[in-house]
Amino acid sequence: MDLLRNILLILHFVGLASLLGGFLVQIKPIIAGKGTIVTAMFHGALTQLVTGLLLVGIIEMGSLGHIDNAKIGIKLLVLIVITVLVIVNRKKPTVSSLVLWAIGALTFANVVIAVLWK
């Protein structure tokens, strides 16, 4: 179980890198009002969602640690908002800068919650 948890955690970080990286590489186009939802952001959001849910299930099922349900609930809510924003806007040729900044800020907020909430 511990090996599976570690694999899922690594994949969760890959999803984070994809989501945040997809936002960061287009800061200039976002400022110019020409940003888009790149495929990496879509796949990153879904990877984060699936691996996050699986991580909680594996940790609870295998008694691999304590889960703070309030923290996980808030992180899940933030990630659902991110995922909805990505899915709704992914087919558009250009996306509002406000939407893209929201995706970037919410992704960063999820990282801060994960690290600082003890």
Side-chain angles (χ1 to χ4, degrees), residues 29-67:
I30 292 171
I31 291 171
K34 298 178 182 175
T36 62
I37 301 292
V38 294
T39 306
M41 294 170 73
F42 174 67
H43 291 292
L46 293 180
T47 301
Q48 285 256 282
L49 186 60
V50 170
T51 58
L53 291 172
L54 289 173
L55 272 168
V56 171
I58 293 296
I59 291 170
E60 286 285 337
M61 190 172 62
S63 299
L64 298 174
H66 171 71
I67 297 287

Side-chain angles (χ1 to χ4, degrees), residues 8 13 34 54 74 80 98 110 114:
L8 287 172
F13 288 146
K34 298 178 182 175
L54 289 173
I74 291 172
I80 287 171
L98 182 62
N110 242 0

Side-chain angles (χ1 to χ4, degrees), residues 16-101:
L16 171 65
S18 180
L19 180 58
L20 193 58
F23 166 76
L24 292 174
V25 297
Q26 50 177 348
I27 293 289
K28 282 187 179 181
I30 292 171
I31 291 171
K34 298 178 182 175
T36 62
I37 301 292
V38 294
T39 306
M41 294 170 73
F42 174 67
H43 291 292
L46 293 180
T47 301
Q48 285 256 282
L49 186 60
V50 170
T51 58
L53 291 172
L54 289 173
L55 272 168
V56 171
I58 293 296
I59 291 170
E60 286 285 337
M61 190 172 62
S63 299
L64 298 174
H66 171 71
I67 297 287
D68 185 343
N69 290 322
K71 174 182 175 179
I72 297 302
I74 291 172
K75 286 181 56 58
L76 178 61
L77 180 65
V78 170
L79 185 56
I80 287 171
V81 171
I82 292 168
T83 305
V84 167
L85 287 172
V86 168
I87 289 172
V88 166
N89 292 288
R90 76 184 182 117
K91 297 285 185 181
K92 296 180 181 176
T94 58
V95 178
S96 164
S97 293
L98 182 62
V99 170
L100 290 165
W101 284 112

